[in-house]
């Protein structure tokens, strides 16, 4: 076995890893995590499907990809199983980790406790809100004395999170962190990476734990979520929409089995050097890191990414 490992699969994977390492821009902090975990378990010559019965003979298949969540899979049947397990994990894990109800002090009371508004201002705003609707923060801003900054600071206190700025914001780099559809659907903005391990994530008026949790696991970076001033958020959002996002396709499946089948087919067709599935609300997001071809490598481009967003036709979740 060690000899086979050295000359066949192990050797090929070592070359693949070397190719990939060359394709990664070492100045790009977003890639630091990929070097840490992407190939750790794919060196193993055995299939990453724990229930696989094919054994060591698969070494002769000459198939090094696809790699899914750091593990090599020997064939379409095993791909289907590991994809199915990942989707089942996301269904369960999301509910446990994210769906936690937290009581929050109403924003008006936070502003009152901070001395930003008076009781009369709050009473007036609540009366106006009852008649005209709208969020209390927006209604209060109709009052000239209440600024956007006061509202953002109060939101930070309400959610127990920092107020973030757009310092070092690079829309082109940040657009690689998420498919555009998710960014639009859930109103978040990747803002910057600090060091090589921390991603700052901005929200306009509420922290969405499902988004933070999904991005944390997809990127391998720790996510620090915070609120951003409304106008600054809108400006940054406009700028990122002008950037190039990784190509993404949206698939709608009739049920869970169909979704697993579609993801497996795409994984088998694309044969990425790694892929991962996380769930963001009702979307299953599969990101695939593809092999870099020679011309891209010479141009110093990053490993190409392709995203797949899967949703169920009926609200079966
Ligand atoms: Zn297998």
């Amino acid at each position: 076995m060690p000899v086979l490992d050295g000359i066949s699969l192990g050797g090929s994977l070592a070359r693949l890893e070397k190719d990939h390492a060359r394709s990664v821009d070492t100045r790009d902090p977003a890639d630091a995590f990929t070097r840490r975990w992407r190939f750790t378990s794919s060196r193993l010559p055995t299939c990453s499907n724990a229930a696989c019965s094919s054994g060591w003979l698969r070494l002769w298949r000459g198939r090094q990809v696809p790699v899914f969540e750091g593990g090599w899979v020997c064939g379409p049947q095993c791909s289907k199983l590991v994809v199915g397990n990942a989707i089942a994990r996301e269904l369960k894990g999301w509910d446990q980790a994210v769906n936690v109800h937290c009581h929050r002090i109403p924003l008006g009371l936070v502003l009152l406790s901070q001395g930003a508004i008076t009781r009369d201002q709050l009473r007036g705003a609540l009366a106006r809100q009852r008649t005209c609707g709208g969020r209390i923060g927006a209604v209060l801003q109709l009052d000239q004395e209440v600024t956007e900054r006061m509202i953002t600071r109060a939101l930070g206190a309400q959610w127990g999170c920092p107020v973030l700025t757009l310092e070092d914001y690079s829309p082109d780099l940040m657009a690689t962190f998420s498919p555009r559809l998710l960014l639009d659907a859930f109103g978040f903005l990747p803002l910057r990476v600090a060091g090589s391990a921390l991603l700052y994530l901005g929200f306009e008026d509420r922290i969405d734990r499902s988004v933070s949790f999904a991005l944390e696991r997809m990127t391998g970076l720790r996510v620090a979520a915070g609120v951003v001033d409304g106008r600054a958020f809108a400006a940054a959002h406009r700028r990122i929409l002008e950037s190039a996002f990784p190509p993404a396709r949206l698939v709608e499946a009739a049920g869970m089995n169909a979704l697993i089948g579609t993801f497996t087919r795409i994984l088998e067709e694309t044969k990425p050097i790694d892929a991962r599935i996380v769930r963001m609300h009702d979307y299953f997001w599969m990101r695939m890191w593809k092999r870099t071809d020679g011309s891209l490598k010479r141009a110093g481009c990053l490993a190409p990414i392709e995203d797949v967003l899967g949703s169920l036709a009926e609200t079966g979740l």
Side-chain angles (χ1 to χ4, degrees), residues 37-59:
W37 62 264
R38 186 165 298 166
F39 286 94
T40 48
S41 55
S42 62
R43 287 175 190 282
L44 294 172
T46 52
C47 179
S48 65
N49 169 23
C52 179
S53 57
S54 60
W56 63 273
L57 282 174
R58 293 291 181 187
L59 287 171

Side-chain angles (χ1 to χ4, degrees), residues 11 39 212 282:
F39 286 94
S212 307
D282 287 349

